[in-house]
Amino acid sequence: MSDSHSRKRKRKNLNKEAKDLLSKDHVKGFSTTAILLSATIGFHGQFLLSTKTIATFKLPDYSFSKLKFQYLHKHNALVTSLVLSQSPSISLSATIGNPTMAFRMKAVYKTGRSFTNYDAGIHAANPNWKASIILANKCDLLKASYVHRFHQPKKISVGAEITKRFSTKEHTFTVTGSWKVDQMTTLTARVNNCGKLDTLLLHKIRHKFSLSISGEFDTKALEKVPRIGIHTLQ
């Protein structure tokens, strides 16, 4: 057999092996009837100044499709969204104010079920302190908080928070303190009227990498073993 015939035969066998490799065991069980086509269609548009419209449609199951409209102007914002499902829901959130004082509200309405959630809050702040009053969980939860910052000689923050749940008549009073030891380390502690004490030590080892040590203690049951955790954050 000549070299040319030998090369042709090898080439033929190689082509056959390549075809077998591409087809064998890789298309077994494949049928067009088993394919379910699905698609996600998205749209982002700006029809007016300071507005944005976002639409997402999923086919053939449209239950997770959403239409969102945003209006942003300086310190005022309005966001409304429509979620398509068997019981479509509409959510509306708005913020009116400035960096010193702002009013925020949010409501979610589900077709056939009236309002599933709504809350509102007032926030006030300046470089030395910030305070807020929030009415949440369909007016069942009232939360008021205040934080004061002491910049000198150490960066220390002290805060207090009061929460009251009207349905169960439960109330909680919490005091929080935070001390920035240096540019890399921050120590935070929090204790409430139930005797629960939480502590957190956060230390930045390098850029975008931190080590945190947390502890949880029950001051009314000192015989219990405290919970201590060590985590790395990136």
Side-chain angles (χ1 to χ4, degrees):
M1 182 180 296
S2 63
D3 293 340
S4 60
H5 285 288
S6 178
R7 286 195 297 269
K8 289 181 180 179
R9 185 174 180 179
K10 288 182 179 179
R11 192 180 302 112
K12 184 177 180 181
N13 292 336
L14 184 61
N15 292 337
K16 184 177 183 302
E17 291 176 1
K19 291 180 180 179
D20 292 340
L21 184 63
L22 290 173
S23 60
K24 187 177 180 180
D25 297 331
H26 292 277
V27 293
K28 187 177 180 180
F30 176 83
S31 64
T32 55
T33 57
I35 298 178
L36 178 62
L37 296 175
S38 61
T40 301
I41 302 173
F43 172 80
H44 293 248
Q46 184 175 3
F47 299 101
L48 298 174
L49 188 64
S50 302
T51 66
K52 181 187 293 185
T53 302
I54 304 172
T56 305
F57 299 96
K58 294 188 177 182
L59 302 174
D61 183 9
Y62 63 88
S63 58
F64 294 101
S65 300
K66 180 184 291 187
L67 177 64
K68 179 185 290 186
F69 174 80
Q70 298 177 339
Y71 171 77
L72 305 175
H73 181 67
K74 290 185 179 180
H75 305 296
N76 302 326
L78 175 66
V79 179
T80 180
S81 62
L82 170 65
V83 178
L84 300 178
S85 63
Q86 292 182 348
S87 299
S89 62
I90 302 174
S91 64
L92 174 67
S93 62
T95 301
I96 301 174
N98 52 51
T100 302
M101 180 170 288
F103 171 78
R104 296 183 177 92
M105 61 82 62
K106 182 179 180 180
V108 179
Y109 178 83
K110 203 159 190 176
T111 305
R113 298 184 183 180
S114 67
F115 287 95
T116 58
N117 191 26
Y118 45 85
D119 52 61
I122 298 176
H123 304 262
N126 72 11
N128 297 319
W129 58 266
K130 63 179 180 179
S132 65
I133 300 177
I134 300 173
L135 192 61
N137 294 352
K138 300 172 69 172
C139 296
D140 182 55
L141 179 65
L142 176 65
K143 182 183 295 185
S145 63
Y146 176 84
V147 176
H148 195 95
R149 301 183 183 93
F150 300 90
H151 298 283
Q152 298 296 337
K154 294 290 186 178
K155 292 185 177 181
I156 298 176
S157 299
V158 178
E161 181 183 83
I162 300 175
T163 62
K164 181 176 179 60
R165 194 174 295 274
F166 297 102
S167 59
T168 59
K169 297 182 179 181
E170 296 179 44
H171 68 278
T172 305
F173 177 72
T174 306
V175 177
T176 304
S178 178
W179 175 31
K180 192 170 183 178
V181 182
D182 52 40
Q183 295 296 326
M184 308 297 290
T185 308
T186 303
L187 177 63
T188 303
R190 180 176 60 184
V191 62
N192 61 22
N193 61 312
C194 298
K196 182 180 178 182
L197 172 64
D198 296 320
T199 60
L200 175 65
L201 177 65
L202 182 64
H203 179 71
K204 294 182 180 180
I205 300 176
R206 57 185 180 181
H207 183 61
K208 294 185 178 180
F209 188 78
S210 302
L211 173 67
S212 67
I213 302 176
S214 60
E216 182 179 307
F217 309 88
D218 189 348
T219 60
K220 294 184 178 181
L222 297 178
E223 69 279 1
K224 293 184 178 180
V225 178
R227 299 174 58 184
I228 299 176
I230 301 176
H231 307 276
T232 56
L233 307 174
Q234 186 174 0

